[in-house]
Amino acid sequence: MTGPSTYTTRRVTVPQLEALLFRELPVLDHGFLRVVDYMGDDSSIVQAARVSYGVGTKTVREDKALIKYLMRNRHTSPFEMCEIKLHVKLPIFVARQWIRHRMASVNEYSARYSILDKEFYFPAPENVATQSQDNRQGRADPIPPEMAQQVLRIMREDAHRNYEHYLEFLGGSDREEKDFGISRELARINLTLNTYTQWYWKSDLHNLLGFLQLRADPHAQLEIREYAKTIMDVVRIWVPSAYEAFEEYRYGSVTLSRTEVSILRDLLVGKGISKLRAELTKRDWEKLAKIFGLG
Amino acid sequence: MTGPSTYTTRRVTVPQLEALLFRELPVLDHGFLRVVDYMGDDSSIVQAARVSYGVGTKTVREDKALIKYLMRNRHTSPFEMCEIKLHVKLPIFVARQWIRHRMASVNEYSARYSILDKEFYFPAPENVATQSQDNRQGRADPIPPEMAQQVLRIMREDAHRNYEHYLEFLGGSDREEKDFGISRELARINLTLNTYTQWYWKSDLHNLLGFLQLRADPHAQLEIREYAKTIMDVVRIWVPSAYEAFEEYRYGSVTLSRTEVSILRDLLVGKGISKLRAELTKRDWEKLAKIFGLG
Amino acid sequence: MTGPSTYTTRRVTVPQLEALLFRELPVLDHGFLRVVDYMGDDSSIVQAARVSYGVGTKTVREDKALIKYLMRNRHTSPFEMCEIKLHVKLPIFVARQWIRHRMASVNEYSARYSILDKEFYFPAPENVATQSQDNRQGRADPIPPEMAQQVLRIMREDAHRNYEHYLEFLGGSDREEKDFGISRELARINLTLNTYTQWYWKSDLHNLLGFLQLRADPHAQLEIREYAKTIMDVVRIWVPSAYEAFEEYRYGSVTLSRTEVSILRDLLVGKGISKLRAELTKRDWEKLAKIFGLG
Amino acid sequence: MTGPSTYTTRRVTVPQLEALLFRELPVLDHGFLRVVDYMGDDSSIVQAARVSYGVGTKTVREDKALIKYLMRNRHTSPFEMCEIKLHVKLPIFVARQWIRHRMASVNEYSARYSILDKEFYFPAPENVATQSQDNRQGRADPIPPEMAQQVLRIMREDAHRNYEHYLEFLGGSDREEKDFGISRELARINLTLNTYTQWYWKSDLHNLLGFLQLRADPHAQLEIREYAKTIMDVVRIWVPSAYEAFEEYRYGSVTLSRTEVSILRDLLVGKGISKLRAELTKRDWEKLAKIFGLG
């Protein structure tokens, strides 16, 4: 499984990614992410684009320019020509967010067939934070350390107790007299959402970048963001030109609404702040002002 | 939300399904399923098929025959022309199986935005059963009633305790001194997998039948099967001809492998049991023998 | 087929769209587009969003604000909850572009089963234009009218001659002695790409807006753009709030790259034109300058 | 493009497929199919299945048995873990059938950007056949050779004339005085459906097998069947165990309707021909009788 062997291939190969192959990249307290296989590199994007557009010649510089052009103009299909397969260990509540990305293939560890390991995610104390008031789905400031420790103590007790009962249900506990021997598919419903699961997950590069755009975003839940960031590191190594274009044209981009475009144009041609500003919500205006250093 | 109003429409309409619209059809102990909207009926399948194949005339009898022909010959695209939207309340562990069907649209209640209700699924005592030995993913016989009650007592205690802690984490418990006020997205990871969630789920008929084929199957977990069976009742009312064809050509069908075809042919032409039988696994042979009443 | 009947329904209904139902909206010289069925309206988007986010109350004004919020922040799944079905007559070369949108259902008229009508698309003389030099895939200025007439004459002759031969191949021509009686699936390969075909096409609103974003764009080929524009008119009638949000946040939006954001900010805070400008291609700079009225 | 280089990789590698990589496998008169890249092998299916089901040990024999089990029981997701990328040259009318398989990635040569080659598909004389009477979409017997030659002569003339006009429209003909210089996207609509195009096409193994099931079937049009058969040869080399399981459980399988199961069972238990036979159409009964050698 850890693939100690090496082979000879005529397929496009990325030496830097080969070095990373099969290695467990740690995420969260017990999670990880391993690149198990991949197909294609930056040149595969160019190859597919050229059959469509026939454009360009073949220096590395021109390939890079073509990839930027494709990313900027949302010619997305060439990015589907690269594929990556990951082995991921992740808490169930993260898996529930992740699986919403439908354009991917997945084989998850089945708790109907096998017994889940006794591993749970508990946040680091500094990540035990209060509910954000302005972001209805987010976290704000850490709670005091001693309170965080209390929360974590309760979480640990609950997870472990429920797991202990899970084993008793299954008939796998230490004390035989407590064993029930019920089916795995039923016993597992007693487990907590922070229990770790694992899966093989395969996606093409276009859909992977869509995943990253959403899940590496500050609005994504911290835990899935940790996985997204690790994947970003992988993508940077795998397809450096595509990654750079992604950072420039998608991840670091700003989309302005029709009204915002008008407001900025008025400012730039010296007309001052247009009365269109009233059409923005307070929050949208503050966001715009912050990005562009407006009064 | 319960749509007391009626409107006038020129769209195809199914009176029998209208009567069912918005009604909560109970599933499991606290779950339900409501038909919220639909598009098309049996005639929509025929309409789409006719633009492709131009076949047939227009009596009801011929429409029915065309639907059977389409189902039998896996002309699946006309069945995509009907669409249904359900509002479903279901335990999280069922939602995790359900969501694997990717060709559907879903909006789930978000525990990052809102607080989950104090509702859990606990199996009926007679469904607390032992691990099946010949079906690695299934359930066998019920355990003794008093043991089932013990299992259920533990499950209830665990779910309720974890939920109580969830409320304390959020700052919504009864005893203020125990409140922590941490973010919803974090607090929820303490909940058990039998907690109820809900979603709007929309699928076309072709993919819905694929869902039913897998999830109404005896190998599916009992809990999701309950939802599948309720959906089958809905489909029977909504598109009776398609449903009948589904029962005949898919749900009640048997697929024989190349070898099994040869074995049956040999038997039918009087050659006796062919030595190909040795190529079947014991289990496959038993299955075949049972279906066709072989020695 | 033209649905003279009316029915009573409890489903959400859009009276303005009902008025349009089944009517052939002409596109190009012989094409059309008919709304055959639909599911949902603006309120369906809100309904699905609320099960997820639980936000907001229920005045029309707040619903509209929620739809804008969803569109702006790319919460796309609630827009999948509306569905529309179109009957479209379109030239084959347009169908070939259209079918690239994979997240839709389609049943096309099959020339293996039936004989195609003698109908072809010929551009209006003013649309017979030269190859654009700066847009490698586009059209520039019309060619002189008499030359356009010559082009059209040749196109007409070729389409008609090939169709005449198609009929002879099939055995359906006027002169029996010329009939060959070969199969339809083979005879049709003699037809030209401007021959009209037709299909039923069904899409959810989210994917429909993606189609419009690409196909109503000035870079799309004029002919498919005509269909996209007609669909935009339909969407405006069907889901007016979603349409307005689409115009504001997607169709009329501008996405700035990371570098472009920096350049604009420098200008807005009075730092003048940053040297980052050198990192833009000439074309990208001109585009930016044009949008924002930069020197 | 022909990949003369070899690299070192730790990814799973299939030596037999490496030998085939980049080679043009001829299909029809001018078409071809090249394997450009691939990911995974038989062991990748097993690897993904084991994370789900945890089953089995690791001998080659057991791997093979697991793959058969998965194929038989429609555990399809592990087959999604293998991916292949093809470069295909094919007539436009074949491309129009092929593209209906939506779960794939494709980049087609764009006639908006580039000029199509002067290459057309013309059937071999023995494939110029009459319309089938019992299969509304198929071909029956060849027409007399001299008539076939006439058909082919007309097809050739039409394709070449239309292409010559295409070049004149573009301004690329030999005689300058005839050049119009209109845009590529418009000029191409004059071409015939047997013109060759090409694309890069990428699919996972599960969806590829679905493609083969439909397109290698005798009911598929002869021309696309030629491509399907060539792909079958590739799959046999690439993933021999999966291919064998496909032949046994899908390609060579027979699906019996509920009624057909009853009829066969009655025969096998000595009850003779059940009156259920009346419920089958004449065609379905004949098919059944032929497969199982029934009187």
Side-chain angles (χ1 to χ4, degrees):
Chain A
M1 209 111 156
T2 47
S5 319
T6 58
Y7 308 94
T8 295
T9 189
R10 297 161 74 208
R11 293 172 289 171
V12 288
T13 300
V14 182
Q16 290 83 342
L17 191 59
E18 291 282 337
L20 207 71
L21 228 47
F22 311 121
R23 232 166 67 200
E24 288 192 6
L25 309 173
V27 188
L28 303 182
D29 51 356
H30 298 294
F32 64 74
L33 190 148
R34 295 190 311 134
V35 181
V36 169
D37 209 344
Y38 69 94
M39 177 169 126
D41 66 1
D42 275 331
S43 78
S44 310
I45 302 163
V46 169
Q47 180 187 51
R50 289 224 165 94
V51 84
S52 289
Y53 313 120
V55 279
T57 40
K58 285 145 196 182
T59 67
V60 172
R61 203 170 129 262
E62 285 165 323
D63 278 6
K64 216 168 156 173
L66 175 55
I67 288 175
K68 284 170 103 168
Y69 169 85
L70 296 170
M71 185 73 78
R72 177 179 184 85
N73 295 285
R74 302 264 165 165
H75 291 292
T76 57
S77 54
F79 295 97
E80 292 181 28
M81 289 293 159
C82 296
E83 194 87 16
I84 199 161
K85 182 158 57 184
L86 306 173
H87 177 197
V88 191
K89 188 169 159 196
L90 71 179
I92 289 174
F93 71 93
V94 173
R96 297 234 302 137
Q97 297 176 333
W98 194 311
I99 201 77
R100 297 300 312 276
H101 297 264
R102 289 163 288 184
M103 292 297 104
S105 296
V106 59
N107 278 99
E108 186 176 351
Y109 188 88
S110 170
R112 297 183 75 198
Y113 284 88
S114 309
I115 298 173
L116 282 160
D117 288 337
K118 188 179 180 170
E119 284 185 312
F120 315 97
Y121 166 70
F122 303 114
E126 63 273 22
N127 289 325
V128 181
T130 59
Q131 176 65 37
S132 168
Q133 291 314 309
D134 55 306
N135 174 4
R136 293 196 69 241
Q137 64 179 327
R139 249 170 265 189
D141 304 316
I143 62 172
E146 63 284 6
M147 285 184 76
Q149 289 302 349
Q150 264 186 282
V151 166
L152 290 169
R153 191 183 41 73
I154 296 172
M155 277 190 179
R156 259 187 225 107
E157 278 174 16
D158 283 356
H160 283 271
R161 183 192 308 103
N162 288 23
Y163 189 87
E164 202 52 47
H165 290 150
Y166 166 65
L167 289 186
E168 289 176 17
F169 290 167
L170 290 175
S173 75
D174 294 338
R175 288 169 293 169
E176 211 172 286
E177 74 282 8
K178 297 186 87 175
D179 289 350
F180 294 96
I182 70 169
S183 68
R184 288 182 288 270
E185 65 176 18
L186 203 54
R188 60 156 169 183
I189 75 175
N190 201 56
L191 295 173
T192 46
L193 284 164
N194 51 5
T195 309
Y196 271 96
T197 182
Q198 47 182 292
W199 63 30
Y200 277 71
W201 187 77
K202 180 173 136 298
S203 171
D204 66 51
L205 178 58
H206 165 62
N207 284 291
L208 187 68
L209 295 178
F211 176 91
L212 295 178
Q213 181 76 355
L214 283 176
R215 302 305 183 177
D217 186 274
H219 287 86
Q221 184 160 351
L222 182 138
E223 283 76 14
I224 198 168
R225 230 186 307 148
E226 292 297 310
Y227 287 89
K229 281 194 222 155
T230 304
I231 296 177
M232 282 182 91
D233 292 338
V234 168
V235 174
R236 189 189 292 117
I237 287 167
W238 175 30
V239 281
S241 296
Y243 182 80
E244 200 183 312
F246 172 67
E247 284 229 311
E248 174 71 10
Y249 298 110
R250 294 196 59 193
Y251 191 63
S253 75
V254 169
T255 296
L256 301 173
S257 72
R258 175 173 282 189
T259 303
E260 289 168 340
V261 171
S262 296
I263 292 172
L264 286 197
R265 183 172 38 217
D266 280 357
L267 279 168
L268 284 161
V269 301
K271 285 193 190 165
I273 286 187
S274 112
K275 58 185 180 184
L276 284 169
R277 178 184 151 171
E279 292 189 19
L280 300 192
T281 63
K282 187 165 173 292
R283 184 183 224 160
D284 286 345
W285 168 253
E286 284 169 1
K287 217 164 143 189
L288 191 72
K290 195 176 161 207
I291 293 170
F292 291 100
L294 309 180
Chain B
M1 209 107 155
T2 45
S5 319
T6 57
Y7 308 95
T8 295
T9 188
R10 296 162 73 209
R11 294 172 287 171
V12 288
T13 300
V14 182
Q16 291 82 343
L17 192 58
E18 291 282 337
L20 207 70
L21 228 47
F22 312 121
R23 229 164 70 199
E24 289 192 6
L25 310 173
V27 188
L28 303 182
D29 51 355
H30 298 293
F32 64 73
L33 190 149
R34 295 192 310 135
V35 181
V36 169
D37 209 344
Y38 69 94
M39 177 168 127
D41 66 1
D42 275 331
S43 78
S44 310
I45 301 163
V46 169
Q47 179 187 52
R50 290 225 165 92
V51 83
S52 289
Y53 314 121
V55 279
T57 41
K58 283 145 199 183
T59 66
V60 171
R61 201 169 131 264
E62 285 165 323
D63 278 6
K64 215 167 158 173
L66 175 54
I67 288 174
K68 284 170 104 167
Y69 170 84
L70 297 170
M71 185 72 79
R72 176 178 184 84
N73 295 285
R74 301 265 165 167
H75 292 290
T76 57
S77 52
F79 296 96
E80 291 181 28
M81 289 293 159
C82 297
E83 195 87 18
I84 198 161
K85 183 158 57 185
L86 306 173
H87 176 196
V88 190
K89 188 167 160 198
L90 70 180
I92 289 174
F93 71 92
V94 174
R96 297 233 305 136
Q97 297 177 332
W98 194 311
I99 200 75
R100 297 300 311 278
H101 296 264
R102 289 162 288 183
M103 292 297 104
S105 297
V106 59
N107 277 99
E108 185 177 352
Y109 188 88
S110 170
R112 297 184 72 197
Y113 283 88
S114 309
I115 298 173
L116 282 160
D117 289 337
K118 188 179 179 170
E119 284 185 312
F120 316 97
Y121 166 69
F122 303 114
E126 64 272 23
N127 289 326
V128 181
T130 59
Q131 176 65 38
S132 166
Q133 291 314 310
D134 55 307
N135 174 3
R136 293 199 68 241
Q137 62 179 327
R139 248 170 267 189
D141 304 314
I143 62 172
E146 62 283 7
M147 285 184 76
Q149 290 302 350
Q150 262 186 283
V151 166
L152 290 169
R153 190 183 41 73
I154 296 173
M155 277 191 179
R156 261 188 223 104
E157 277 173 18
D158 283 356
H160 283 270
R161 182 192 309 103
N162 287 24
Y163 189 86
E164 203 52 49
H165 290 152
Y166 166 65
L167 289 186
E168 287 176 18
F169 291 166
L170 290 175
S173 74
D174 294 341
R175 288 170 294 170
E176 212 172 284
E177 72 284 8
K178 297 185 87 177
D179 288 351
F180 294 96
I182 70 169
S183 68
R184 287 182 288 270
E185 65 176 17
L186 203 52
R188 61 155 167 184
I189 75 175
N190 201 56
L191 295 173
T192 47
L193 284 164
N194 52 5
T195 308
Y196 272 96
T197 181
Q198 48 181 291
W199 62 31
Y200 276 70
W201 188 78
K202 179 173 138 297
S203 170
D204 66 51
L205 177 59
H206 165 62
N207 283 290
L208 187 68
L209 295 178
F211 175 91
L212 295 178
Q213 181 76 356
L214 283 175
R215 302 305 183 178
D217 185 275
H219 286 86
Q221 184 161 350
L222 180 140
E223 283 77 14
I224 198 167
R225 229 185 309 148
E226 292 297 310
Y227 287 89
K229 280 194 224 154
T230 306
I231 296 177
M232 282 182 91
D233 292 339
V234 168
V235 173
R236 188 188 293 117
I237 288 165
W238 175 29
V239 281
S241 295
Y243 182 80
E244 198 183 312
F246 171 68
E247 284 228 312
E248 174 72 9
Y249 297 111
R250 294 194 61 193
Y251 191 62
S253 75
V254 168
T255 296
L256 300 174
S257 72
R258 175 172 284 188
T259 303
E260 290 167 339
V261 171
S262 296
I263 292 172
L264 287 196
R265 183 172 37 215
D266 280 357
L267 279 169
L268 285 160
V269 300
K271 285 194 192 166
I273 288 187
S274 111
K275 59 186 179 183
L276 284 169
R277 177 184 152 171
E279 291 189 19
L280 301 191
T281 64
K282 187 167 171 290
R283 184 184 225 161
D284 286 346
W285 168 254
E286 285 168 2
K287 217 163 144 189
L288 191 72
K290 195 176 162 207
I291 294 170
F292 293 100
L294 310 181
Chain C
M1 208 109 157
T2 45
S5 320
T6 58
Y7 308 94
T8 295
T9 188
R10 297 160 75 209
R11 294 172 289 172
V12 288
T13 300
V14 182
Q16 290 84 342
L17 192 58
E18 291 282 336
L20 207 71
L21 228 47
F22 311 121
R23 229 165 70 198
E24 289 192 6
L25 309 174
V27 188
L28 302 182
D29 51 355
H30 299 292
F32 65 73
L33 190 149
R34 296 191 310 135
V35 181
V36 170
D37 209 343
Y38 70 94
M39 178 168 127
D41 67 0
D42 275 329
S43 78
S44 310
I45 302 163
V46 168
Q47 179 187 52
R50 290 224 164 93
V51 84
S52 289
Y53 314 122
V55 279
T57 41
K58 283 146 197 182
T59 68
V60 172
R61 201 169 131 263
E62 285 164 324
D63 278 6
K64 215 168 158 171
L66 175 55
I67 288 175
K68 284 170 103 169
Y69 170 84
L70 296 170
M71 185 73 78
R72 176 179 185 83
N73 295 286
R74 302 262 164 169
H75 291 291
T76 56
S77 53
F79 295 96
E80 292 181 27
M81 289 292 159
C82 297
E83 194 87 18
I84 198 161
K85 182 158 58 183
L86 306 173
H87 177 196
V88 191
K89 188 169 159 194
L90 71 178
I92 289 173
F93 71 93
V94 173
R96 297 234 301 138
Q97 297 177 332
W98 193 311
I99 200 76
R100 297 299 312 277
H101 297 263
R102 289 162 288 183
M103 291 297 103
S105 296
V106 58
N107 278 98
E108 185 176 350
Y109 188 88
S110 170
R112 295 183 75 198
Y113 283 87
S114 308
I115 299 173
L116 282 160
D117 289 335
K118 189 178 179 170
E119 283 186 312
F120 316 97
Y121 166 70
F122 304 114
E126 64 273 22
N127 288 327
V128 181
T130 60
Q131 176 64 39
S132 166
Q133 291 313 309
D134 55 306
N135 174 1
R136 293 197 69 239
Q137 63 178 327
R139 249 171 263 189
D141 305 315
I143 63 171
E146 63 283 7
M147 285 185 76
Q149 289 303 349
Q150 263 186 285
V151 165
L152 290 169
R153 190 183 41 74
I154 296 172
M155 277 191 178
R156 259 185 226 108
E157 278 173 17
D158 283 356
H160 282 271
R161 183 191 308 104
N162 287 25
Y163 188 87
E164 202 51 49
H165 290 150
Y166 166 65
L167 289 186
E168 289 176 18
F169 291 166
L170 291 175
S173 74
D174 294 339
R175 287 170 293 169
E176 211 173 285
E177 74 282 9
K178 298 185 88 178
D179 288 352
F180 295 96
I182 70 169
S183 69
R184 288 183 288 270
E185 65 176 17
L186 203 53
R188 61 156 168 183
I189 76 176
N190 201 56
L191 295 174
T192 47
L193 284 164
N194 52 5
T195 308
Y196 271 95
T197 182
Q198 48 183 292
W199 63 31
Y200 277 71
W201 188 77
K202 180 171 136 300
S203 171
D204 66 50
L205 177 59
H206 166 62
N207 283 291
L208 187 68
L209 295 178
F211 176 91
L212 295 177
Q213 181 76 354
L214 282 176
R215 301 305 182 178
D217 185 274
H219 286 87
Q221 184 161 349
L222 182 139
E223 283 77 13
I224 199 168
R225 230 186 306 148
E226 292 297 311
Y227 288 89
K229 280 195 222 155
T230 305
I231 296 177
M232 282 182 90
D233 292 338
V234 168
V235 173
R236 188 189 293 116
I237 288 166
W238 175 30
V239 281
S241 296
Y243 182 79
E244 199 182 312
F246 171 67
E247 283 228 313
E248 174 71 10
Y249 297 111
R250 294 196 59 193
Y251 191 62
S253 75
V254 169
T255 296
L256 301 173
S257 72
R258 174 173 283 189
T259 303
E260 288 168 341
V261 170
S262 296
I263 292 173
L264 286 197
R265 183 171 40 215
D266 281 357
L267 279 169
L268 285 160
V269 300
K271 284 194 192 166
I273 288 187
S274 112
K275 60 186 179 183
L276 283 170
R277 176 183 153 172
E279 290 189 18
L280 300 191
T281 64
K282 187 167 173 290
R283 185 184 225 159
D284 286 346
W285 168 255
E286 284 169 1
K287 218 164 143 189
L288 191 72
K290 195 174 161 206
I291 293 169
F292 292 101
L294 309 181
Chain D
M1 209 109 156
T2 45
S5 320
T6 57
Y7 308 94
T8 295
T9 189
R10 296 160 75 209
R11 294 173 288 172
V12 289
T13 300
V14 182
Q16 290 83 341
L17 192 58
E18 292 281 337
L20 207 70
L21 228 46
F22 312 121
R23 230 165 69 199
E24 289 191 6
L25 310 173
V27 188
L28 302 181
D29 51 354
H30 299 292
F32 65 73
L33 190 148
R34 295 191 311 134
V35 180
V36 170
D37 210 343
Y38 70 96
M39 177 169 125
D41 67 0
D42 276 330
S43 78
S44 310
I45 301 163
V46 169
Q47 181 187 50
R50 289 224 164 93
V51 83
S52 288
Y53 314 121
V55 278
T57 40
K58 283 145 197 184
T59 67
V60 171
R61 202 169 129 264
E62 284 163 325
D63 278 6
K64 216 169 157 171
L66 175 54
I67 288 175
K68 284 171 104 168
Y69 169 84
L70 296 170
M71 185 73 77
R72 176 179 185 83
N73 294 286
R74 301 263 165 168
H75 292 290
T76 58
S77 53
F79 295 96
E80 292 181 27
M81 289 293 160
C82 296
E83 194 88 17
I84 198 161
K85 182 158 59 184
L86 306 173
H87 176 196
V88 191
K89 188 168 159 195
L90 70 178
I92 290 174
F93 72 93
V94 174
R96 297 234 301 137
Q97 297 177 332
W98 194 310
I99 201 77
R100 298 299 311 277
H101 297 263
R102 288 162 289 183
M103 291 297 104
S105 297
V106 58
N107 278 99
E108 186 177 351
Y109 188 88
S110 170
R112 297 183 73 199
Y113 282 88
S114 308
I115 298 174
L116 282 161
D117 288 336
K118 187 178 179 168
E119 284 185 312
F120 315 97
Y121 166 70
F122 303 114
E126 64 273 21
N127 289 326
V128 181
T130 58
Q131 177 65 37
S132 167
Q133 291 315 310
D134 56 306
N135 173 2
R136 292 198 69 241
Q137 62 179 328
R139 247 170 267 189
D141 305 315
I143 62 172
E146 62 282 8
M147 285 185 76
Q149 289 303 348
Q150 263 185 285
V151 166
L152 290 169
R153 190 183 43 73
I154 296 172
M155 277 191 177
R156 259 187 225 106
E157 277 173 17
D158 283 356
H160 283 270
R161 182 192 309 103
N162 287 24
Y163 189 87
E164 202 52 48
H165 289 152
Y166 166 65
L167 288 186
E168 287 176 19
F169 291 166
L170 290 175
S173 75
D174 295 340
R175 287 170 295 169
E176 212 173 285
E177 74 283 9
K178 297 186 87 177
D179 287 352
F180 293 96
I182 69 170
S183 68
R184 287 183 288 270
E185 65 176 18
L186 203 54
R188 61 157 167 181
I189 75 175
N190 201 57
L191 295 173
T192 46
L193 284 165
N194 51 6
T195 308
Y196 272 96
T197 182
Q198 47 183 291
W199 63 31
Y200 277 70
W201 187 77
K202 181 174 136 297
S203 171
D204 66 51
L205 178 58
H206 165 62
N207 283 290
L208 187 68
L209 295 178
F211 176 91
L212 296 178
Q213 181 76 356
L214 282 176
R215 301 305 183 178
D217 186 275
H219 287 86
Q221 184 161 350
L222 181 140
E223 284 76 15
I224 199 167
R225 230 186 306 149
E226 292 297 311
Y227 287 89
K229 280 194 223 155
T230 306
I231 296 176
M232 283 182 90
D233 292 338
V234 168
V235 173
R236 189 189 293 117
I237 288 166
W238 174 30
V239 280
S241 295
Y243 182 80
E244 200 183 310
F246 172 69
E247 284 228 312
E248 175 71 9
Y249 297 110
R250 293 196 59 193
Y251 191 63
S253 75
V254 168
T255 296
L256 300 174
S257 71
R258 176 173 283 188
T259 303
E260 289 167 341
V261 171
S262 297
I263 292 173
L264 287 197
R265 184 172 38 216
D266 280 356
L267 279 169
L268 285 160
V269 300
K271 285 195 193 163
I273 288 187
S274 113
K275 59 186 180 182
L276 284 169
R277 176 183 154 171
E279 291 189 19
L280 300 192
T281 63
K282 186 166 172 290
R283 184 183 226 160
D284 286 345
W285 168 255
E286 284 169 2
K287 218 164 144 188
L288 190 72
K290 196 175 161 207
I291 293 170
F292 292 100
L294 309 181

